[in-house]
Amino acid sequence: MSSTSPNFKRIEVAPAYQKVADAIEREIVNGRIKPDDPIGTESELVQQFGVNRSTVREGIRVLEESGLIRRDSSRRLYACLPRYNKLASRLSRALVLHEVTFRELFETAMILEVAAIEYAVDHATDEDIAEIALNIEKTEQSIANPAAFAELDAEFHILLAKASHNRVLQLAREPAGLLFFPTTEMVVRNVAEGMPRLIAAHHHLLDAIRKRDKQEGMVWMRRHVEDWRRGFERAGNSLDRPVERMYMEHALLAQQKR
């Protein structure tokens, strides 16, 4: 029998305010508290949880930042639908903490972006199509500004997901998208044909939506995401590097150039 004892990590006890926030969030996410349902006042929550006012106030602050609760003019608290960007940014931070790699982002994008165009072909409205067309026009006008170009590319993919009219898909793709699409600037700065190829792909994807041609849309999206992979590697990056590490290195390089 081995005499080596197992090594256990110390148990971290969550602070009381986080427990308050988690308890309320569970009720909202599980649907037991509906959007616009009253949650009560700070005083009422102090009594219900049996904690001091500062603990409740800090827990409420966490939930307000997440977009899960709001206050009215009388300071009463109400449940809200969580905002996409707040959920996405929290999940994006979790992905960074887990040291996800760009390969994982690429593989996920290949699935979710193809799904977005597939459903956009089926469900895009005339308004959706007009928004996407305007985005492409702005992208063509921003070729002298790689940062603006990259932002418009990210917006293009958000608009495609919106055109799918599937809110679960929109929520699912956003956290990885916040980490994946900023790399477009890195690619177009280092690969000469990056911008024209990206714009051409966007035009083909829009054409597929207009023609309601799902197969063409899926083919072009796969090419588009694969183009990102080639450009990313040609710019001197490795798909197997953790996201956080590479962003930190690029930030340091940018500081050194100033």
Side-chain angles (χ1 to χ4, degrees), residues 158-190:
I158 291 170
L159 291 173
L160 278 189
K162 178 186 170 189
S164 75
H165 291 272
N166 184 314
R167 289 169 294 179
V168 176
L169 178 58
Q170 290 179 66
L171 279 168
R173 66 161 298 283
E174 194 70 10
L178 287 174
L179 300 175
F180 183 79
F181 286 103
T183 60
T184 300
E185 180 181 357
M186 195 186 308
V187 172
V188 297
R189 283 186 184 277
N190 290 279

Side-chain angles (χ1 to χ4, degrees), residues 21 37 39 51 95 98 101 112-113 125 136 142 161 163 166 176 178 213 245:
D37 279 356
I39 296 173
V51 294
L95 292 176
H98 281 82
T101 65
L112 294 179
E113 300 304 323
T125 63
I136 295 174
S142 70
N166 184 314
L178 287 174
D213 189 332
R245 206 168 301 165

